[in-house]
Amino acid sequence: MRGRLLALLATLGLVFGSSPAMAQAPTGDIVGRVVDASGAVLPGVVVTVSGGSLIQPLTATTAETGTYLFPGLQPGSGYTVRFELTGFRTVVVERVQVNAGGNATTNATLEVSALEESITVSSEAPLVDTRKTGTKTNFTQEQLQNVPSARDPWVMLERTPGITMDRTNVGGSQSGQQSGYVSRGATTTNNKWSLDGVDITDQAATGASAVYYDFDMLEELQISTGGNDVTQQTGGVGINLVTKSGSDTIRGSARYYITDQEFGSTNLTEELRAQGARTGAPIQNIKDYGIEGGGPIWKRRAWFWGSYSKQDIKVGVVNFFQKVAGCPVNAADPLAQQLSVAELNGCLNTDLTVLDNYNIKGSALLFSGNTFTWHSNFADKIRNARDASDTRPFETTYIQEGPVWTHKASDRHVFSDRWIADAAYAYVGGGFGLLFQEPGNRQIQPLNDLGTGRWERSFNQSEFDRPATRPSAATTRSRPATCIATRRRVRRRCTAVTCTRRRATVCRSARSSGAVLPPSTP
């Protein structure tokens, strides 16, 4: 009782101290109905969910309609649902997949048995979620890892129906930059990004993400293009990223990917060159490596998970030439037409982007029914030549740097199988700077050729700091479904009592008066 009181006080404290709400919740539900062999619903069945991201199993009892609900579960495929009722065989359904914003419908049919028997089956996800509203596309961990593509969330946006992109990320050459995208006529400023329920949309470049991501830190990625969750403040595209978590089993993975110019080819033909094309934007070298893993600190009490990744992306920029002998000054230089494509590509400056990403997450069962979770993410981007182009030589480009910290503390308390409460506090800190190539360039007057639009000597410098706090609190309380019997004439007699004693009483009353009742529905 004291634990419940503390959890309730914590929730109320965040309610009165909060203003902006969290972004769309990165959770899903397990729902279903239990019937007997004749198809009659079974109230009073004890349903237990374990595994997945649950440190402590959850238990519910089916209502008089035979239905049950477990809301707010973290996405994953490792859930087990157990159905038990005295006098019936126990049914166990394994490998239940929960998706963000989805409903994992898990029904069961219990057969009468005088012995203590159990049946174990594997769950198969339905092709259509009949309870889902809105237009959403979910990418599970298996799809994220096995779909051949570059490795960032913007590439998955390319694969989402109803979204139009401003570019194609070839081989990961654009993975250090953010692609532009639109959907259903909405403006890009309506787009929203969330990480484990924390709104991490850039505070100034509205609609953009404030950070870049380690692709292997994701358990699931959900992209919504219509009918967004009520907690999303806009009607644009919603990108919901869900990170992995620990478990009672030690597990992990590591990777090392490399893409090099030796593995590539060129599609810049002589015909295109005759029309004015000079170079492409070749991949020079891309490395993507990292490690992630987690396990128990104290089995069935506390878990941890962490990750580290680094992406080192070196690409050439169209007509962004080095100022060395034997290389053209710009695309208009006659030398650019005389040299071969391979020689021109060798003259290109390197546009270097380095992305570092760290994650640490811990979950602990503080007391029965109460789970506390902490997650910290550190993301840093360094780029050596932002805005490089034919009219912006190297000394006029920016050095971009911008570490961003994201911290989230959350607490969930399960009061009963019908009532849960969540409270969270998140902080997103940091920004980025667009700096001179050399500190001394601050004292050099920029020069702009109005005829060609080309800049020389220097340019400018900007620094941005965009901290944000995100307190939130929410509670979910569900009422058990009930059977509603109405007196109306149908072709079948009232013979099967499938709900509660109340329905049985109505049935008896209907028989005595000659009325006929419809079958019960969930």
Side-chain angles (χ1 to χ4, degrees), residues 272-443:
L272 291 174
R273 295 194 67 191
Q275 298 176 31
R278 295 294 178 260
T279 73
I283 293 175
Q284 296 173 344
N285 184 271
I286 299 176
K287 297 184 181 70
D288 177 354
Y289 53 92
I291 187 170
E292 62 84 23
I297 299 174
W298 182 2
K299 283 195 173 184
R300 294 181 293 277
R301 296 289 297 186
W303 299 341
F304 78 94
W305 171 82
S307 72
Y308 167 72
S309 75
K310 190 182 192 73
Q311 295 181 64
D312 187 301
I313 304 165
K314 298 183 179 74
V315 297
V317 178
V318 176
N319 300 330
F320 181 49
F321 298 113
Q322 303 177 51
K323 289 187 174 182
V324 296
C327 290
V329 176
N330 54 35
D333 190 329
L335 187 59
Q337 181 64 32
Q338 299 170 13
L339 297 177
S340 67
V341 173
E343 290 172 327
L344 284 176
N345 286 345
C347 284
L348 293 176
N349 279 300
T350 296
D351 183 8
L352 169 67
T353 301
V354 179
L355 305 177
D356 282 293
N357 198 289
Y358 300 80
N359 284 277
I360 186 69
K361 179 189 282 188
S363 300
L365 184 68
L366 300 184
F367 47 87
S368 180
N370 189 276
T371 303
F372 176 81
T373 301
W374 176 276
H375 178 211
S376 289
N377 168 265
F378 174 80
D380 191 15
K381 172 182 177 178
I382 298 176
R383 188 179 183 187
N384 75 324
R386 175 163 170 165
D387 288 354
S389 71
D390 191 14
T391 59
R392 292 280 301 278
F394 193 82
E395 67 273 13
T396 68
T397 60
Y398 298 115
I399 293 177
Q400 179 180 345
E401 58 181 32
V404 177
W405 277 101
T406 302
H407 304 290
K408 179 187 176 184
S410 62
D411 187 88
R412 161 169 288 200
H413 192 79
V414 180
F415 293 94
S416 69
D417 63 338
R418 304 290 178 187
W419 185 19
I420 60 175
D422 292 278
Y425 185 88
Y427 173 78
V428 182
F432 67 95
L434 301 177
L435 311 178
F436 288 113
Q437 286 293 335
E438 297 290 342
N441 286 6
R442 182 187 298 271
Q443 309 302 324

Side-chain angles (χ1 to χ4, degrees), residues 144-181:
L144 291 172
Q145 294 298 327
N146 295 333
V147 173
S149 67
R151 294 167 50 81
D152 67 41
W154 290 271
V155 172
M156 306 317 293
L157 283 164
E158 292 180 21
R159 285 153 176 73
T160 303
I163 291 182
T164 302
M165 308 294 295
D166 71 345
R167 74 194 76 180
T168 299
N169 187 348
V170 180
S173 59
Q174 296 292 313
S175 289
Q177 324 311 325
Q178 296 195 34
S179 302
Y181 55 95

Side-chain angles (χ1 to χ4, degrees), residues 49-61:
V49 172
S50 58
S53 63
L54 293 173
I55 295 179
Q56 182 183 54
L58 300 176
T59 301
T61 303

